[in-house]
Amino acid sequence: MILARISKAVRDQNWLAVSLEFIIVIAGVVVGFQVSAWNEARQERGLEQAYLERLFSEFEVVSDELDDASGDLDDARDQAEGFLAAFDAGDRETMARDTFALLAITRVSEVQIQSAALHELISSGRLGLIRNEALRAELANLPLVEADAHGVIDQIKAQQVDIVATLRPHLRVTMDGLGVDSVILADSFTPDDIELANNLAFAIYLNRSAALFLRVLKNEVDQLRASLAEELGQPSPVPAPETSP
């Protein structure tokens, strides 16, 4: 239709009509590109919002898991410290009651701090959907934080292997279908075994270090959650620090 009008205008040497027709064609192409770009930008903003909400929700779960893991370490340490005090006092009755602590004290929970949504954003090359540069940098740095975390946890576990080797000969562990059923002290577990006491004290130290490290990771995750909440226009999930009067 437009080509027919242009052809007729050229035959009639109506250059004004030709110019107008070309302007209409060019304007139509430009408007089409603008509408397409606007629609693409609108879709990207919708994706960004969806990812921000997923990230906020998933990092809340990660924060809770870190909190639970550090709490489990605290519980194991409390029992192990009670066992060590009873060990020093030669109180085998209390020691027998807290023998599970000897296994728990040498365990460190593995917690993944990278969420599924963040993995999708990075692996698909869509991290650029997050327009806030500071928030995008925080998200991009998290895999490095997680890699460092695994390195620290692996170091702690490596040191615990030797401790477990010194404890095992003094324990009688029975298993059932669900795991450890009972832990019984051998007669060789005596207060005059200084090496055994020192190893148990070192296990408690490693446990405390692991719990502290998990709390540092939780703080990293909570700071990220605060940034996500700000971007979403939600109240910060992290309590503001108390100020002295």
Side-chain angles (χ1 to χ4, degrees), residues 118 179 204:
L118 179 57
I204 291 173

Side-chain angles (χ1 to χ4, degrees), residues 100-123:
F100 274 99
L102 297 179
L103 298 181
I105 196 65
T106 56
R107 293 176 181 170
V108 178
S109 300
E110 290 279 3
V111 179
Q112 302 294 328
I113 64 172
Q114 187 178 165
S115 75
L118 179 57
H119 180 72
E120 286 179 20
L121 282 171
I122 294 175
S123 62

Side-chain angles (χ1 to χ4, degrees), residues 148-226:
D148 289 343
H150 284 304
V152 171
I153 295 298
D154 287 345
Q155 289 179 16
I156 292 175
K157 285 184 172 181
Q159 295 179 81
Q160 288 173 333
V161 169
D162 293 336
I163 297 173
V164 171
T166 63
L167 294 177
R168 284 288 185 182
H170 304 281
L171 302 175
R172 300 292 178 264
V173 181
T174 60
M175 310 286 289
D176 60 16
L178 300 176
V180 176
D181 180 52
S182 66
V183 181
I184 302 172
L185 291 177
D187 292 336
S188 57
F189 219 123
T190 58
D192 57 355
D193 192 332
I194 302 302
E195 181 184 5
L196 198 57
N198 288 339
N199 280 326
L200 183 54
F202 186 52
I204 291 173
Y205 165 77
L206 290 175
N207 169 284
R208 183 179 289 108
S209 299
L212 177 61
F213 184 69
L214 289 181
R215 287 189 172 90
V216 171
L217 285 180
K218 175 178 165 56
N219 182 64
E220 291 268 357
V221 171
D222 285 345
Q223 290 302 317
L224 180 54
R225 289 173 62 215

